[in-house]
Structures are given as C-alpha cells and as structure tokens.
Amino acid sequence: DRGGDWSSDVCSSDLADLPALSGASKTHLYRLLQEALTNIVRHADASQVRIRLQHRGSRLRLWVRDNGRGAQTPQRPGVGLYSMYERARCLGGDLKILSHPGAGWALALNMPLEA
C-alpha cells in the first residue's frame, strides 16, 4: 500500500488564498515547499504528491504528503531538511515531518500569520 486512497493525479493541490505576508515570509514559505518537493523527487520514489495550504483564523498550515517508500524516523537530517526547519523557525512556525516505511512522507508546517 503506497499511502492509502490516492487520486489518479500526479500532483493534487488544495490551496487557500494566501493571506497578506511580508516578502521575506513569502520567500521562506515558497523555498520550504520547493525543498519538500525536491526531496520527494530525489528520495521518495513516489508517484503522487498532495499539497494543501489552509488559512484558519490567525494561522496558516501547509501540508505536503507523498505516496512514496517512506523511511524509519528519526533519521539524521541532511542540508535540505535542516533548511526547512530553519525556514519554519524564521516563520515562527512549527514543522513536523513524519514517515513510515511503505507509507510515504508527510510534512506539516503550522505558522502564525503576521499581525
């Protein structure tokens, strides 16, 4: 099983309207997502990925999941994972990365919106 019930799309997305963010925050969010997708292409052996961006109250949540091979966690983070954690910190957010062998990777960023 490659992570459950997946649609036939290679990449599916559910993107909320992005609330007002500073230029630096937009860049950090974009680069974090870019690194997550790069890691999926390089390491996951996935055929599909889902991206969800939700705006709820004063919080923004980014969720990325693939149906790849996954891995045992924890593992020693490389430069890419380290940079994602640093970007999440710069955004004032909390980044969680979960993985299970045969069930893919899931990344969840939960961050506050700027006042």
Side-chain angles (χ1 to χ4, degrees):
D1 177 20
R2 303 279 260 173
D5 182 28
W6 290 83
S7 71
S8 62
D9 295 334
V10 171
C11 180
S12 62
S13 61
D14 178 12
L15 303 176
D17 289 333
L18 191 61
L21 295 171
S22 72
S25 291
K26 285 181 191 177
T27 299
H28 283 307
L29 190 59
Y30 173 81
R31 295 292 185 201
L32 192 148
L33 177 58
Q34 183 181 41
E35 184 62 37
L37 295 174
T38 297
N39 284 345
I40 290 169
V41 169
R42 287 184 181 164
H43 307 294
D45 192 28
S47 62
Q48 295 175 314
V49 62
R50 290 181 182 163
I51 304 165
R52 182 181 303 152
L53 182 65
Q54 296 174 316
H55 173 202
R56 295 221 171 125
S58 64
R59 309 288 299 175
L60 189 65
R61 182 169 189 242
L62 173 67
W63 184 75
V64 181
R65 182 175 175 210
D66 69 58
N67 70 340
R69 63 180 170 214
Q72 283 291 102
T73 54
Q75 65 182 41
R76 191 168 167 230
V79 173
L81 289 178
Y82 178 77
S83 73
M84 286 193 291
Y85 282 113
E86 280 301 301
R87 289 187 187 281
R89 186 186 61 77
C90 289
L91 290 164
D94 177 46
L95 180 67
K96 293 183 181 171
I97 300 176
L98 306 169
S99 180
H100 300 286
W105 289 85
L107 173 147
L109 170 68
N110 188 3
M111 62 175 273
L113 293 173
E114 299 164 15

